[in-house]
Amino acid sequence: MSGHGPATDALPPAGLLRGERRAVARAISRIEQGAPDAAALTAALVPHLGRAHVIGITGAPGAGKSTLVHALLGELLARGQRIGVVAVDPSSPVTGGAVLGDRVRMGEHGAHPQVFIRSVASRGHPGGLSPTTRAIVDVLDAAGFDTVIVETVGAGQSEVEILRVADTRIVVCPPGLGDEVQASKAGILEIADLLVVSKADLPGAEATARDLREMLQLRTKPPAGAWKVPVLSVSAGAAPGRAAHQGLAALVEATLEHARHAGHGRRLHADARTAAASARVLRLAASDPFVAANGITCVRGGPGQAEVRMTLRPDHLNFNGTCHGGAIFTLADTAFGLAANSHGAVAAGIDAHITYQQAVGAGETLSAQAREVSRSRRLAVYRVDVTREDGRVVSSFTGTVYLNGEQHE
Ligand SMILES: Nc1nc2c(ncn2[C@@H]2O[C@H](COP(=O)(O)OP(=O)(O)OP(=O)(O)O)[C@@H](O)[C@H]2O)c(=O)[nH]1
Ligand SMILES: [Mg+2]
């Protein structure tokens, strides 16, 4: 240990870059434990990223994701690949319970020397990816794994997050979904590069595949040359006596074809997009005379996001001596406008609605946090929470913008 100076700490361990299991496991543990040098380690990985094909697999609980991962492992191993698997909150592992090690978890392939499996808890991020998931994917990428598979239970936020991490996003739909699930499929369609109907040996699988194909046809026609989302039916039942595997080779082909189409390292481009959006939000805020006149400052921006603050002055008060509703609206509307324009496309507000929950007085600092709720080609919807310093919500705002297709720069 004594030989490790600050200079060597900035380099990833050589064993990790050679793909040595112990080094990989140690790096992941340091990241998971939030060790003091974890941030330096992830930063040092950056020059070694972008080679692996990252596949994200999401879908409802019990949809058959882990079974599919196991089957994919078999197919990819047969092609001579080294594969890393990150299972976020695995609630129903294919083999064995949570007490068993990660390698045992994925059945026979889990123990294969070319396979590295890690389970992570999503740790207080309900339905979301563990904040360390991205860093673990980076470790596996830097360690030279050809494919990194991330399995996560689809529930709102995680689907959005998997969009940022994965190059190829596979949404698994088991057969026989009821009407209420139909509605949520619309969101699923937006993020899927491949739609997989799992458990194709069960009744109803064909109907589900037909449903999904119909829903895809209802979407706005993708532009020429855009990726066409295929619907694939797969039976991957791992248990002995189950119907033989079916549709797996076609799934692997479609996955590789998508990788050729979309490339690897999408999450790295997403980083660049995030940085550009953040800079744009700060720039737009700084060039807005109305924002300056009201003493509003922008503290943070990102794709579809903005946070602004305002310390209430005496001239923000109304005749009751509390903050004027118009001042709160101004603050919320500023966050709304910045978030809506963060992508670089000109967004014009066409509707806004606000509720007031609490009175506030001069001297208090209010914060407004805007986030994108939905976005299509022409319309986007934002939600803004206005809070006091203690975090209590003062006001809730929703707004819709029209996108005319023009760009800011
Ligand atoms: N008949 C049939 N059953 C399957 C198939 N694939 C998975 N199953 C069963 O479906 C159940 C759930 O499978 P998993 O692979 O654990 O599903 P999951 O989506 O990973 O589940 P969670 O991680 O808990 O969200 C298990 O009982 C599997 O045996 C299949 O192709 N056919
Ligand atoms: Mg699972």
Side-chain angles (χ1 to χ4, degrees):
M1 279 295 167
S2 58
H4 284 230
T8 51
D9 284 349
L11 294 170
L16 190 162
L17 296 180
R18 283 195 300 268
E20 289 168 16
R21 302 189 75 92
R22 281 172 56 92
V24 171
R26 204 177 305 124
I28 292 176
S29 296
R30 274 156 70 193
I31 287 167
E32 281 208 298
Q33 292 154 10
D37 59 346
L41 171 66
T42 44
L45 295 178
V46 171
H48 307 276
L49 303 181
R51 209 191 65 82
H53 176 213
V54 183
I55 302 177
I57 299 193
T58 192
K65 301 178 292 297
S66 298
T67 310
L68 193 65
V69 171
H70 179 261
L72 277 175
L73 284 176
E75 291 285 328
L76 295 172
L77 281 171
R79 286 159 202 255
Q81 288 206 6
R82 287 175 66 225
I83 310 113
V85 179
V86 186
V88 183
D89 259 354
S91 51
S92 67
V94 172
T95 320
V99 288
L100 293 178
D102 293 322
R103 282 161 69 98
V104 185
R105 209 180 276 287
M106 290 284 166
E108 53 182 310
H109 301 315
H112 197 285
Q114 303 278 88
V115 173
F116 187 98
I117 295 176
R118 190 65 169 227
S119 308
V120 292
S122 62
R123 251 187 234 140
H125 289 250
L129 285 187
S130 154
T132 55
T133 301
R134 156 69 195 268
I136 295 172
V137 169
D138 284 354
V139 167
L140 295 170
D141 185 359
F145 285 91
D146 302 291
T147 300
V148 178
I149 304 178
V150 182
E151 176 194 336
T152 175
V153 175
Q157 196 50 31
S158 64
E159 290 167 356
V160 179
E161 288 177 56
I162 208 161
L163 185 141
R164 284 200 293 262
V165 172
D167 300 316
T168 299
R169 297 153 300 181
I170 300 179
V171 175
V172 181
C173 307
L177 294 176
D179 279 346
E180 80 241 43
V181 193
Q182 293 284 352
S184 76
K185 275 193 210 154
I188 283 173
L189 294 188
E190 291 303 319
I191 62 150
D193 297 310
L194 275 72
L195 283 166
V196 170
V197 177
S198 56
K199 314 186 190 185
D201 53 303
L202 296 183
E206 270 174 45
T208 300
R210 208 165 46 234
D211 275 6
L212 290 171
R213 285 196 187 98
E214 278 170 14
M215 291 188 73
L216 282 174
Q217 269 158 13
L218 292 176
R219 289 204 306 187
T220 353
K221 209 168 173 289
W227 173 254
K228 211 169 152 291
V229 178
V231 177
L232 301 149
S233 295
V234 171
S235 156
R242 275 275 164 69
H245 288 181
Q246 177 194 317
L248 269 170
L251 172 61
V252 173
E253 281 312 321
T255 305
L256 296 177
E257 173 145 10
H258 180 265
R260 281 192 292 274
H261 176 89
H264 297 180
R266 186 201 311 244
R267 69 195 188 288
L268 309 172
H269 312 150
D271 289 349
R273 268 202 307 281
T274 301
S278 170
R280 184 177 297 115
V281 166
L282 295 171
R283 198 163 62 238
L284 293 174
S287 66
D288 189 318
F290 188 67
V291 165
N294 280 281
I296 295 172
T297 52
C298 180
V299 292
R300 191 178 57 80
Q305 294 172 30
E307 179 177 355
V308 294
R309 283 195 197 142
M310 175 172 75
T311 299
L312 298 184
R313 304 180 309 221
D315 65 339
H316 285 130
L317 302 185
N318 61 19
F319 41 73
N320 288 323
T322 57
C323 183
H324 198 292
I328 296 175
F329 185 91
T330 295
L331 184 68
D333 184 65
T334 299
F336 165 49
L338 291 171
N341 284 280
S342 63
H343 300 286
V346 175
I350 54 172
D351 174 65
H353 178 255
I354 192 164
T355 64
Y356 297 106
Q357 275 113 278
Q358 284 187 29
V360 280
E364 292 200 55
T365 298
L366 296 181
S367 155
Q369 306 108 41
R371 65 188 161 81
E372 197 166 86
V373 177
S374 73
R375 182 180 171 85
S376 64
R377 213 158 57 86
R378 286 290 177 226
L379 294 177
V381 177
Y382 294 82
R383 157 95 195 214
V384 185
D385 287 327
V386 180
T387 55
R388 329 164 74 123
E389 276 167 297
D390 63 9
R392 278 187 294 165
V393 175
V394 169
S395 185
S396 303
F397 174 110
T398 51
T400 306
V401 294
Y402 178 74
L403 305 159
N404 68 4
E406 285 170 33
Q407 297 292 311
H408 279 293
E409 61 266 313

Short mmCIF file of all heavy atoms in Angstrom, two decimals, residues 297-321:
data_model
loop_
_atom_site.label_atom_id
_atom_site.label_comp_id
_atom_site.label_asym_id
_atom_site.label_seq_id
_atom_site.Cartn_x
_atom_site.Cartn_y
_atom_site.Cartn_z
N THR A 297 -32.29 33.61 -9.61
CA THR A 297 -31.03 33.03 -10.09
C THR A 297 -31.28 31.57 -10.45
O THR A 297 -32.07 30.88 -9.82
CB THR A 297 -29.93 33.07 -9.01
OG1 THR A 297 -30.45 32.50 -7.81
CG2 THR A 297 -29.48 34.50 -8.74
N CYS A 298 -30.57 31.12 -11.50
CA CYS A 298 -30.69 29.73 -11.92
C CYS A 298 -29.54 28.95 -11.28
O CYS A 298 -28.38 29.33 -11.42
CB CYS A 298 -30.61 29.64 -13.44
SG CYS A 298 -30.74 27.96 -14.04
N VAL A 299 -29.87 27.89 -10.54
CA VAL A 299 -28.82 27.15 -9.84
C VAL A 299 -28.43 25.86 -10.55
O VAL A 299 -27.37 25.31 -10.30
CB VAL A 299 -29.21 26.82 -8.37
CG1 VAL A 299 -29.27 28.10 -7.56
CG2 VAL A 299 -30.52 26.08 -8.28
N ARG A 300 -29.29 25.38 -11.47
CA ARG A 300 -29.03 24.06 -12.04
C ARG A 300 -29.88 23.87 -13.28
O ARG A 300 -31.02 24.34 -13.32
CB ARG A 300 -29.42 23.02 -10.99
CG ARG A 300 -29.02 21.61 -11.23
CD ARG A 300 -29.46 20.73 -10.04
NE ARG A 300 -30.90 20.82 -9.79
CZ ARG A 300 -31.82 20.16 -10.48
NH1 ARG A 300 -31.49 19.39 -11.46
NH2 ARG A 300 -33.10 20.29 -10.18
N GLY A 301 -29.34 23.17 -14.26
CA GLY A 301 -30.12 22.83 -15.44
C GLY A 301 -29.70 21.48 -15.96
O GLY A 301 -28.65 20.97 -15.59
N GLY A 302 -30.52 20.91 -16.83
CA GLY A 302 -30.19 19.62 -17.45
C GLY A 302 -31.24 19.36 -18.51
O GLY A 302 -32.11 20.19 -18.73
N PRO A 303 -31.17 18.20 -19.17
CA PRO A 303 -32.18 17.92 -20.19
C PRO A 303 -33.57 17.84 -19.55
O PRO A 303 -33.81 16.97 -18.72
CB PRO A 303 -31.76 16.55 -20.75
CG PRO A 303 -30.36 16.33 -20.24
CD PRO A 303 -30.22 17.11 -18.98
N GLY A 304 -34.45 18.76 -19.91
CA GLY A 304 -35.81 18.78 -19.37
C GLY A 304 -35.89 19.20 -17.92
O GLY A 304 -36.90 18.99 -17.26
N GLN A 305 -34.82 19.81 -17.40
CA GLN A 305 -34.81 20.18 -15.98
C GLN A 305 -34.22 21.56 -15.75
O GLN A 305 -33.32 21.98 -16.47
CB GLN A 305 -33.91 19.22 -15.20
CG GLN A 305 -34.40 17.81 -15.14
CD GLN A 305 -33.34 16.93 -14.51
OE1 GLN A 305 -32.55 17.38 -13.67
NE2 GLN A 305 -33.31 15.69 -14.93
N ALA A 306 -34.73 22.23 -14.72
CA ALA A 306 -34.14 23.49 -14.30
C ALA A 306 -34.54 23.76 -12.86
O ALA A 306 -35.63 23.38 -12.43
CB ALA A 306 -34.62 24.63 -15.19
N GLU A 307 -33.64 24.39 -12.12
CA GLU A 307 -33.96 24.82 -10.77
C GLU A 307 -33.56 26.28 -10.63
O GLU A 307 -32.43 26.66 -10.96
CB GLU A 307 -33.23 23.98 -9.72
CG GLU A 307 -33.58 24.46 -8.30
CD GLU A 307 -32.95 23.61 -7.21
OE1 GLU A 307 -32.32 22.58 -7.52
OE2 GLU A 307 -33.11 23.99 -6.04
N VAL A 308 -34.51 27.10 -10.14
CA VAL A 308 -34.24 28.54 -9.94
C VAL A 308 -34.61 28.92 -8.51
O VAL A 308 -35.41 28.25 -7.86
CB VAL A 308 -35.03 29.41 -10.95
CG1 VAL A 308 -34.57 29.18 -12.36
CG2 VAL A 308 -36.54 29.16 -10.83
N ARG A 309 -34.01 30.01 -8.04
CA ARG A 309 -34.29 30.49 -6.68
C ARG A 309 -34.56 31.98 -6.67
O ARG A 309 -34.09 32.72 -7.54
CB ARG A 309 -33.09 30.22 -5.78
CG ARG A 309 -33.03 28.77 -5.40
CD ARG A 309 -32.10 28.50 -4.25
NE ARG A 309 -31.84 27.06 -4.28
CZ ARG A 309 -30.68 26.51 -4.02
NH1 ARG A 309 -29.66 27.26 -3.68
NH2 ARG A 309 -30.53 25.20 -4.07
N MET A 310 -35.29 32.40 -5.63
CA MET A 310 -35.60 33.82 -5.48
C MET A 310 -35.79 34.11 -3.99
O MET A 310 -36.52 33.41 -3.31
CB MET A 310 -36.90 34.12 -6.24
CG MET A 310 -37.43 35.54 -6.08
SD MET A 310 -38.84 35.84 -7.21
CE MET A 310 -40.14 34.94 -6.37
N THR A 311 -35.08 35.14 -3.52
CA THR A 311 -35.28 35.58 -2.14
C THR A 311 -36.32 36.71 -2.17
O THR A 311 -36.17 37.68 -2.92
CB THR A 311 -33.95 36.07 -1.53
OG1 THR A 311 -33.04 34.96 -1.53
CG2 THR A 311 -34.15 36.53 -0.09
N LEU A 312 -37.39 36.53 -1.39
CA LEU A 312 -38.52 37.47 -1.49
C LEU A 312 -38.16 38.84 -0.94
O LEU A 312 -37.68 38.98 0.18
CB LEU A 312 -39.73 36.90 -0.75
CG LEU A 312 -40.26 35.58 -1.30
CD1 LEU A 312 -41.52 35.15 -0.56
CD2 LEU A 312 -40.54 35.67 -2.79
N ARG A 313 -38.42 39.86 -1.76
CA ARG A 313 -38.14 41.25 -1.39
C ARG A 313 -39.47 41.90 -0.97
O ARG A 313 -40.55 41.37 -1.29
CB ARG A 313 -37.59 42.01 -2.61
CG ARG A 313 -36.34 41.38 -3.22
CD ARG A 313 -35.84 42.18 -4.42
NE ARG A 313 -36.88 42.46 -5.42
CZ ARG A 313 -36.67 42.38 -6.74
NH1 ARG A 313 -35.49 42.03 -7.22
NH2 ARG A 313 -37.63 42.66 -7.59
N PRO A 314 -39.39 43.06 -0.33
CA PRO A 314 -40.63 43.75 0.05
C PRO A 314 -41.53 44.02 -1.16
O PRO A 314 -42.77 43.97 -1.04
CB PRO A 314 -40.13 45.06 0.68
CG PRO A 314 -38.76 44.73 1.18
CD PRO A 314 -38.20 43.71 0.22
N ASP A 315 -40.93 44.27 -2.31
CA ASP A 315 -41.79 44.55 -3.48
C ASP A 315 -42.34 43.28 -4.15
O ASP A 315 -42.97 43.35 -5.21
CB ASP A 315 -41.05 45.44 -4.50
CG ASP A 315 -39.86 44.76 -5.13
OD1 ASP A 315 -39.34 43.78 -4.54
OD2 ASP A 315 -39.42 45.21 -6.21
N HIS A 316 -42.10 42.10 -3.53
CA HIS A 316 -42.77 40.87 -3.97
C HIS A 316 -44.05 40.62 -3.19
O HIS A 316 -44.76 39.64 -3.44
CB HIS A 316 -41.84 39.65 -3.78
CG HIS A 316 -40.74 39.55 -4.78
ND1 HIS A 316 -39.43 39.37 -4.42
CD2 HIS A 316 -40.75 39.63 -6.14
CE1 HIS A 316 -38.68 39.32 -5.53
NE2 HIS A 316 -39.46 39.48 -6.57
N LEU A 317 -44.33 41.47 -2.18
CA LEU A 317 -45.46 41.21 -1.28
C LEU A 317 -46.76 41.81 -1.83
O LEU A 317 -46.76 42.77 -2.61
CB LEU A 317 -45.17 41.79 0.11
CG LEU A 317 -43.89 41.25 0.79
CD1 LEU A 317 -43.78 41.80 2.21
CD2 LEU A 317 -43.87 39.73 0.80
N ASN A 318 -47.88 41.25 -1.35
CA ASN A 318 -49.19 41.78 -1.73
C ASN A 318 -49.75 42.61 -0.59
O ASN A 318 -49.09 42.86 0.42
CB ASN A 318 -50.14 40.62 -2.11
CG ASN A 318 -50.37 39.66 -0.94
OD1 ASN A 318 -50.14 40.01 0.22
ND2 ASN A 318 -50.80 38.45 -1.25
N PHE A 319 -51.01 43.04 -0.70
CA PHE A 319 -51.64 43.90 0.31
C PHE A 319 -51.84 43.20 1.64
O PHE A 319 -52.08 43.83 2.65
CB PHE A 319 -52.97 44.46 -0.21
CG PHE A 319 -53.80 43.44 -0.97
CD1 PHE A 319 -54.44 42.41 -0.31
CD2 PHE A 319 -53.89 43.52 -2.36
CE1 PHE A 319 -55.18 41.47 -1.02
CE2 PHE A 319 -54.63 42.57 -3.06
CZ PHE A 319 -55.28 41.54 -2.40
N ASN A 320 -51.72 41.85 1.68
CA ASN A 320 -51.82 41.13 2.95
C ASN A 320 -50.45 40.97 3.62
O ASN A 320 -50.35 40.37 4.69
CB ASN A 320 -52.41 39.73 2.74
CG ASN A 320 -53.89 39.79 2.42
OD1 ASN A 320 -54.61 40.62 2.98
ND2 ASN A 320 -54.35 38.93 1.54
N GLY A 321 -49.43 41.44 2.96
CA GLY A 321 -48.09 41.33 3.53
C GLY A 321 -47.44 39.98 3.30
O GLY A 321 -46.39 39.66 3.88
#
